[in-house]
Amino acid sequence: MLLLQARSPRNARELSGTLEVSMRTVYRDVEALCASGVPVYAERGSSGGIALSDGYRQAIAQFSNDELHALFVAAADPLADLGVAAHERALHKIKGALPELQRRAAEKAAERILLDHNRWYRTEQPGDVLAALRRAVWDDRAVRMTYRDRNGATTTREIEPLGLISKAGVWYVAARNENGEMRTFRAERIATIEELRRRFERPAGFDLHAYWRGSLEFNDRQTPPYEATIQIEREALHNIVPYFPAETIAEDSRAKTLRVRFPCEDAAVGHAMLLGNRAHVLGPAVFREAVVKRARELLSVLETNP
């Protein structure tokens, strides 16, 4: 059907050669398309062959330029983490069905815009765990997992996975726990996972997008950003700027003074320590004190354990 969409009519011998099947199979497939309601028919004569109705061809190829750009901009495929490698094949099939002018527009979009949803230095995502979660989400099947929380404590839980979310290349699963409460788990903290036979019924009206937006808003309210002012050498800016919102207060040829919004004080102190002598902590005063305290603690550990 996609071949006929790109150019019609085509003779059966050409189709059999392109698809690497027998002519008998081509005719059988034409009968199957007709039976399913696709308007495929045969044209007689030297220039005839198997054709797809012009009205049907136009109906499935009416894309605006903006729609083509949205479909065909080059992008790192987030579904590859889930073990789904069909993204490129699907786009190739759609492109094959486009008229020549739109096909060139699709190729132009892919050559000029690249989207990479992964953050810098992203840790490898757990492919086996994500593949198991994808199957469980699709089949409405419960799983048992061993989970390590942010403090390193490990627990075994049974959850009902309702959806998967990728944020900056890091995967999360939205799930209902044993008590019927909604929770979000980070996939890379799942040590082991077992798919159970038990199926569950999804909550009526559950909206994954609305749930995730609510989770983000709740986190923002619970942990207001921590602002710190730091002067950072230009060569070290890549340690901060890609990760946190930052406003430039002053700059010269050597360094920039930034007001940085960290998610919490601990993150701010940790990154100030990471920068070392390539940064000068300017404020607030409590932040300077926290950095000094952390530095003294680290020095004490190093002196105690040479």
Side-chain angles (χ1 to χ4, degrees):
M1 187 178 71
L2 290 169
L3 288 172
L4 294 175
Q5 162 65 20
R7 179 169 59 82
S8 189
R10 294 174 183 259
N11 63 55
R13 189 176 303 279
E14 176 191 358
L15 289 170
S16 68
T18 302
L19 297 172
E20 299 180 351
V21 297
S22 68
M23 290 178 60
R24 179 180 296 178
T25 298
V26 169
Y27 288 123
R28 188 167 60 243
D29 288 347
V30 168
E31 290 177 2
L33 286 171
C34 288
S36 65
V38 177
V40 180
Y41 61 94
E43 289 185 348
R44 296 183 180 277
S46 58
S47 60
I50 299 169
L52 186 64
S53 166
D54 283 343
Y56 193 83
R57 292 176 65 198
Q58 293 171 4
I60 63 175
Q62 291 179 342
F63 290 103
S64 69
N65 279 339
D66 284 345
E67 289 170 337
L68 287 171
H69 292 167
L71 281 171
F72 287 96
V73 291
D77 183 6
L79 294 182
D81 290 334
L82 302 179
V84 179
H87 181 257
E88 288 295 328
R89 292 199 305 272
L91 289 180
H92 181 73
K93 289 179 179 179
I94 294 173
K95 187 166 66 175
L98 295 173
E100 181 61 28
L101 186 62
Q102 290 192 326
R103 191 180 304 124
R104 288 202 299 268
E107 292 169 349
K108 185 175 181 179
E111 292 168 354
R112 284 163 171 75
I113 301 175
L114 173 64
L115 302 179
D116 185 353
H117 70 287
N118 296 325
R119 67 182 184 183
W120 293 103
Y121 312 116
R122 183 188 75 144
T123 57
E124 190 70 23
Q125 295 298 284
D128 292 343
V129 167
L130 287 169
L133 287 172
R134 175 175 65 89
R135 290 190 296 268
V137 167
W138 242 250
D139 296 339
D140 296 331
R141 192 181 296 277
V143 300
R144 181 181 294 114
M145 67 176 184
T146 304
Y147 189 74
R148 185 184 65 257
D149 67 19
R150 67 180 63 188
N151 298 316
T154 301
T155 55
T156 299
R157 319 176 186 214
E158 284 191 16
I159 61 170
E160 298 173 348
L162 299 174
L164 291 164
I165 306 109
S166 174
K167 182 172 178 60
V170 177
W171 282 93
Y172 299 84
V173 56
R176 193 165 50 185
N177 66 13
E178 298 97 325
N179 300 320
E181 301 166 332
M182 288 299 303
R183 293 288 185 268
T184 303
F185 302 96
R186 189 162 172 162
E188 60 191 8
R189 291 182 181 156
I190 299 176
T192 64
I193 188 167
E194 176 189 356
E195 300 171 66
L196 304 178
R197 297 176 62 87
R198 179 172 68 84
R199 293 180 180 271
F200 62 88
E201 185 174 342
R202 292 175 66 83
F206 175 74
D207 184 328
L208 182 61
H209 298 271
Y211 169 78
W212 185 245
R213 284 196 305 270
S215 296
L216 296 178
E217 292 169 1
F218 177 78
N219 286 336
D220 287 343
R221 290 194 302 269
Q222 293 295 107
T223 55
Y226 186 90
E227 289 193 350
T229 304
I230 311 175
Q231 185 185 65
I232 307 172
E233 294 181 5
R234 289 185 176 273
E235 292 77 6
L237 287 171
H238 67 275
N239 291 298
I240 297 295
V241 174
Y243 304 106
F244 307 104
E247 175 189 355
T248 301
I249 298 174
E251 61 180 301
D252 55 33
S253 59
R254 185 188 65 85
K256 276 190 175 185
T257 301
L258 304 177
R259 182 180 292 114
V260 186
R261 297 181 66 194
F262 293 98
C264 60
E265 181 185 280
D266 192 60
V269 172
H271 280 80
M273 295 288 292
L274 172 68
L275 292 168
N277 62 1
R278 295 172 296 177
H280 181 49
V281 176
L282 301 178
V286 65
F287 175 48
R288 288 172 54 88
E289 293 168 1
V291 173
V292 170
K293 179 183 177 184
R294 181 75 61 85
R296 286 174 175 162
E297 290 172 349
L298 177 60
L299 182 60
S300 175
V301 170
L302 293 174
E303 290 176 341
T304 304
N305 302 284

